[in-house]
Amino acid sequence: MSVEIPYSWFQVNSTNNKLPFIYNMGSGNVNYTATIAEGNYNVIQLLAALYNAVAAVIPTPTWTDGSVYNPATGRITFGIKNPALQPTAIISYNFPANPFLARMFGCLNNSFIVYGYTGGSY
């Protein structure tokens, strides 16, 4: 007797692809939800998918994602680069709302990740 199980499911799917976040561009906090496209991702693809999901819901962001993965350390550094016409831009990912994505991003203690750009540095 044998069984064959096809690899036909996505690690990120409709049950775990939403990540609430708070965006503050200097005028107060606004709540959004990023929806990552369903699929299978490596860490670099996952970072790009998160940025695309965030950029899709924030009205006209004036910055680009500066988040990077360091394969030597196995760590992600979240950041913003090239801000234009914005003295402040802060993003706070609510990883406690989605423990699955928290683990995928290495946030093992299931905490918020807050990062941004303020006053000339990021």
Side-chain angles (χ1 to χ4, degrees):
M1 293 182 21
S2 69
V3 65
E4 187 173 315
I5 301 173
Y7 183 67
S8 59
W9 62 87
F10 293 132
Q11 66 192 140
V12 176
N13 58 49
S14 63
T15 65
N16 60 25
N17 67 339
K18 296 186 182 357
L19 182 62
F21 69 97
I22 297 169
Y23 180 59
N24 184 329
M25 56 182 225
S27 58
N29 292 337
V30 180
N31 293 304
Y32 292 99
T33 298
T35 302
I36 297 174
E38 294 183 31
N40 294 312
Y41 296 94
N42 65 35
V43 67
I44 295 167
Q45 294 166 333
L46 187 61
L47 277 173
L50 179 61
Y51 171 69
N52 290 336
V54 167
V57 295
I58 292 178
T60 61
T62 59
W63 47 268
T64 57
D65 187 60
S67 301
V68 295
Y69 171 69
N70 182 334
T73 64
R75 294 182 182 204
I76 296 172
T77 302
F78 290 93
I80 292 173
K81 65 182 179 180
N82 303 326
L85 307 174
Q86 262 178 228
T88 302
I90 299 171
I91 294 178
S92 176
Y93 290 127
N94 183 356
F95 281 120
N98 189 331
F100 177 83
L101 284 179
R103 287 188 303 275
M104 286 189 73
F105 282 98
C107 189
L108 302 179
N109 63 356
N110 199 26
S111 61
F112 284 79
I113 298 290
V114 180
Y115 68 98
Y117 167 88
T118 303
S121 63
Y122 76 92

